[in-house]
Amino acid sequence: MFERSYLDKSFTVADPDARVRQAGNLMAFETSGGTIKTIAQSTVIRVDAVERLQAGANKVSLFARALKEDGTPHGWTSTNNLQGKFVNETLELIEPPSGSGKFGPNAAWSHGAYVGQIGLVEVVDARTEIERIAVDTVEAYLKMVDAAKLSGVTVAINSGFRSYPEQKILSDGFEKHLPGFNKAAKPGNSNHQNGIAFDIAVAGADGNEVYDWLKRNAPGFGFVRTVSGEPWHWEYDPPRAQQAVQNHTYKIPAVSE
Ligand SMILES: [Zn+2]
């Protein structure tokens, strides 16, 4: 069963100017006696609700309702004011819209074929934007994230699930050599379309602390590298990850670099 990750934990206010927003109008600040209300830096809070505002074509701003430890409200503030900036928190479960077809937002594809509709969970990515990952992989992903965190390493994604139209944009951009487009499979053929592929922010490869942590630990959580030349691309594939563990590696045999 899906539960929003932020409900069962505490957060620390990191920003020295964590301003409180108006509950009915998150664009505006709450004032008291002419000064803007803030939540003091280092305050430990709980969060019981999250709202979003569109901040650009593909960008949203997230706001959390911050509570004191006794449950009374501090008020709404930007999640960017919190330590960790809400990265890897899960927001909403998105069920397939009724009657949606193979090009719909929840349609899964594998090896060029439509394979059905899947539930998706929104998760805050490495850039504090919202990605979706398959509901069946959330638990495994967050288990790995939590283990990395205990080692002081932040595992976070740049890309998770993609719908057919989203994959088509990436594939077309690559084939037309548009700036900023990396190699991308043809729509229907990417494992980002069935929920097992995760592009993890690794900033390079060997020597990057996230990548090195993944090499040592990801297969133990069911994740394995499956694409040559893409150290960021990991797939949740427990049988192949288990095979990698037995072979003392972190990748499938077809991955050469
Ligand atoms: Zn990928």
Side-chain angles (χ1 to χ4, degrees):
M1 209 193 87
F2 168 71
E3 286 176 47
R4 295 169 179 80
S5 62
Y6 58 83
L7 290 177
D8 64 354
K9 55 179 82 159
S10 300
F11 296 88
T12 303
V13 174
D15 195 294
D17 186 26
R19 299 176 179 196
V20 175
R21 308 264 175 160
Q22 291 180 14
N25 175 16
L26 293 171
M27 296 293 283
F29 298 112
E30 250 186 53
T31 54
S32 165
T35 53
I36 293 172
K37 273 179 70 178
T38 60
I39 309 173
Q41 193 177 28
S42 303
T43 304
V44 175
I45 61 156
R46 295 185 72 82
V47 171
D48 74 336
V50 171
E51 292 282 353
R52 67 191 74 185
L53 291 178
Q54 203 67 33
N58 295 308
K59 181 90 186 139
V60 296
S61 296
L62 286 176
F63 301 92
R65 184 160 64 192
L67 305 178
K68 298 174 186 170
E69 282 175 287
D70 66 5
T72 58
H74 283 290
W76 289 87
T77 197
S78 166
T79 53
N80 285 333
N81 293 331
L82 306 178
Q83 203 172 71
K85 297 183 187 295
F86 240 54
V87 171
N88 286 316
E89 299 305 334
T90 58
L91 304 178
E92 298 290 332
L93 171 63
I94 306 171
E95 300 280 15
S98 68
S100 98
K102 61 183 183 180
F103 302 120
N106 293 59
W109 288 72
S110 182
H111 303 289
Y114 166 65
V115 294
Q117 302 282 326
I118 59 174
L120 299 170
V121 171
E122 293 176 317
V123 61
V124 180
D125 76 8
R127 298 159 300 200
T128 70
E129 293 169 17
I130 299 174
E131 301 289 332
R132 288 147 296 145
I133 59 181
V135 66
D136 289 345
T137 64
V138 169
E139 203 179 316
Y141 172 67
L142 292 181
K143 241 185 202 171
M144 179 166 75
V145 163
D146 289 345
K149 195 175 176 185
L150 285 176
S151 314
V153 172
T154 301
V155 167
I157 58 170
N158 282 323
S159 185
F161 178 85
R162 300 172 193 154
S163 66
Y164 190 101
E166 287 167 338
Q167 184 67 27
K168 188 171 186 317
I169 289 169
L170 298 182
S171 171
D172 288 353
F174 169 67
E175 288 186 2
K176 290 174 187 158
H177 306 287
L178 297 183
F181 284 83
N182 292 318
K183 188 163 168 250
K186 286 207 176 295
N189 290 280
S190 170
N191 278 336
H192 284 283
Q193 292 182 252
N194 55 48
I196 71 168
F198 292 69
D199 286 349
I200 297 177
V202 294
D206 287 316
N208 171 269
E209 67 164 5
V210 178
Y211 186 66
D212 288 344
W213 188 92
L214 291 170
K215 286 202 312 190
R216 286 194 305 274
N217 300 286
F221 293 92
F223 291 82
V224 63
R225 261 201 63 196
T226 58
V227 181
S228 278
E230 294 192 2
W232 58 85
H233 181 102
W234 295 74
E235 296 188 1
Y236 180 64
D237 186 335
R240 292 209 284 183
Q242 184 56 36
Q243 195 61 52
V245 170
Q246 280 165 16
N247 295 341
H248 305 287
T249 181
Y250 52 89
K251 51 193 184 185
I252 63 169
V255 173
S256 55
E257 46 167 340

